[in-house]
Amino acid sequence: MSKYSDLVLFLSEFSGTMLLILLGVGVSANTSLKKAFGFGPNWLLIAFGWGFAVFVGASVSWRSGAQLNPAVTLEQAAVGSMPWSKVPLYIVAQVLGAMAGAGLAYLTYKKQFDTHDDPANTGGIFFTTASVYSPVWNVVSEAIGTFVLLMFVQESSPFQFGTADSTPEFGNSALGYAGVAFTVIAIGASLGGPTGYAINPARDLGPRIMYSLLPIKGKGSSNWGYSWIPIVGPLVGVALALLWLTL
C-alpha cells in the first residue's frame, strides 16, 4: 500500500498528466498552426515531442508511480502492482489533468489559433483520428501500439505504485522514465500513422472534451463518433498484454 494520501496521489497523477498533455498538444499546435515557428509537417518532431512529454510528466509524478494513462493503471492493478481501489482515483486525475493540459496549450498558442486560416481543422491538434477510417482496423492499430507500451512497462518495471523507486540499477529499467519516453517515440515513429497513436484513453478524451469547450472561433467538430476508438483500442491492448504475461 502506498505511504501517500489519496490527495497526494491524485495531485501527482493530475500534475503529471497535465504536463504530458500540455507539451504533447503543444508540439501538435507548433507544427499545425501557420503562425507558429514550428509550422510544417514533421512527424518525427511530433513523435519526439510526445515522447519527451511523457518523460517530463512522469518525472514530476513519481509519488503516484507516474502512470498518466488509464491503460497503464488497469494493467498495473491487474498484475497486483497497485490496489484496485485506487483505480478510479487515478483515472479521474488523469482525465482532468489531460483537460487542464489541453487548456494550457490553447492559452500558450491563443494568438496563433486566433489568426489561423483553417480553424475548422484544428481538432487534430487536440485529439486523434484515423488516416483511413475503418473502425475495426483502427481499434487494432490502437491495441497493438498500447500492447507495445504495456509490454515495456511491465517487463522493465520502472513504475512502483506510490514510491520513488522508479530507476532500478539493472536491466531495461535502468533508463527509468527515459526508457518509457523512447518507447513512446518508437511507437509514434513506427506505428502512429494509422490513428495518431493515442495509446492512452485520457490523452484523447481529456483534450477532446476541452476542445469542445474552448472558444476557438470557427472550430470544427470534436468528432465524438470516433472517440470510442482511442478508448476501446487501448483497453484491448491491456487485455493482450495481460494475456501475453500468462503465457
Side-chain angles (χ1 to χ4, degrees), residues 12-42:
S12 177
E13 283 295 299
F14 176 90
S15 61
T17 310
M18 179 181 67
L19 290 177
L20 161 63
I21 301 302
L22 168 60
L23 297 176
V25 171
V27 72
S28 297
N30 194 23
T31 56
S32 299
L33 298 172
K34 289 187 177 178
K35 292 193 176 180
F37 286 129
F39 174 70
N42 192 331

Side-chain angles (χ1 to χ4, degrees), residues 14 21 25 95-107 123 126-127 202-216 219 222 224:
F14 176 90
I21 301 302
V25 171
V95 173
L96 292 179
M99 291 177 63
L104 291 175
Y106 165 72
L107 292 177
F126 292 86
F127 51 81
R203 171 265 175 272
D204 188 89
L205 180 60
R208 196 181 295 267
I209 294 171
M210 185 55 67
Y211 183 73
S212 72
L213 300 175
L214 287 171
I216 301 174
K219 69 182 179 182
S222 293
W224 289 107

Side-chain angles (χ1 to χ4, degrees), residues 3-70:
K3 65 181 180 181
Y4 297 109
S5 69
D6 283 354
L7 178 60
V8 170
L9 295 175
F10 180 91
L11 292 175
S12 177
E13 283 295 299
F14 176 90
S15 61
T17 310
M18 179 181 67
L19 290 177
L20 161 63
I21 301 302
L22 168 60
L23 297 176
V25 171
V27 72
S28 297
N30 194 23
T31 56
S32 299
L33 298 172
K34 289 187 177 178
K35 292 193 176 180
F37 286 129
F39 174 70
N42 192 331
W43 190 252
L44 282 180
L45 178 59
I46 292 173
F48 273 89
W50 276 102
F52 286 113
V54 169
F55 176 78
V56 173
S59 295
V60 303
S61 59
W62 54 269
R63 291 176 181 84
S64 60
Q67 294 176 15
L68 316 183
N69 183 341

Side-chain angles (χ1 to χ4, degrees), residues 83-108:
W84 280 103
S85 62
K86 301 296 184 184
V87 169
L89 175 79
Y90 272 54
I91 292 178
V92 170
Q94 291 157 1
V95 173
L96 292 179
M99 291 177 63
L104 291 175
Y106 165 72
L107 292 177
T108 302

Side-chain angles (χ1 to χ4, degrees), residues 53-245:
V54 169
F55 176 78
V56 173
S59 295
V60 303
S61 59
W62 54 269
R63 291 176 181 84
S64 60
Q67 294 176 15
L68 316 183
N69 183 341
V72 174
T73 297
L74 290 170
E75 193 230 16
Q76 292 291 286
V79 300
S81 294
M82 65 176 288
W84 280 103
S85 62
K86 301 296 184 184
V87 169
L89 175 79
Y90 272 54
I91 292 178
V92 170
Q94 291 157 1
V95 173
L96 292 179
M99 291 177 63
L104 291 175
Y106 165 72
L107 292 177
T108 302
Y109 283 93
K110 183 182 185 305
K111 300 310 293 183
Q112 285 70 34
F113 277 105
D114 290 346
T115 55
H116 189 57
D117 62 3
D118 190 15
N121 289 315
T122 52
I125 294 171
F126 292 86
F127 51 81
T128 64
T129 189
S131 58
V132 176
Y133 181 66
S134 178
V136 172
W137 289 107
N138 300 154
V139 167
V140 169
S141 295
E142 285 291 327
I144 292 172
T146 307
F147 171 77
V148 173
L149 172 65
L150 295 179
M151 285 299 294
F152 178 85
V153 168
Q154 185 58 37
E155 295 299 337
S156 63
S157 299
F159 302 130
Q160 296 295 325
F161 170 74
T163 75
D165 185 15
S166 59
T167 53
E169 296 178 357
F170 58 89
N172 292 335
S173 55
L175 290 172
Y177 301 131
V180 183
F182 295 151
T183 303
V184 171
I185 291 170
I187 293 169
S190 301
L191 305 176
T195 59
Y197 71 112
I199 61 175
N200 178 342
R203 171 265 175 272
D204 188 89
L205 180 60
R208 196 181 295 267
I209 294 171
M210 185 55 67
Y211 183 73
S212 72
L213 300 175
L214 287 171
I216 301 174
K217 186 176 180 179
K219 69 182 179 182
S221 166
S222 293
N223 193 12
W224 289 107
Y226 182 84
S227 63
W228 64 274
I229 290 173
I231 295 175
V232 172
L235 295 181
V236 174
V238 173
L240 291 174
L242 293 174
L243 178 62
W244 183 268
L245 291 173

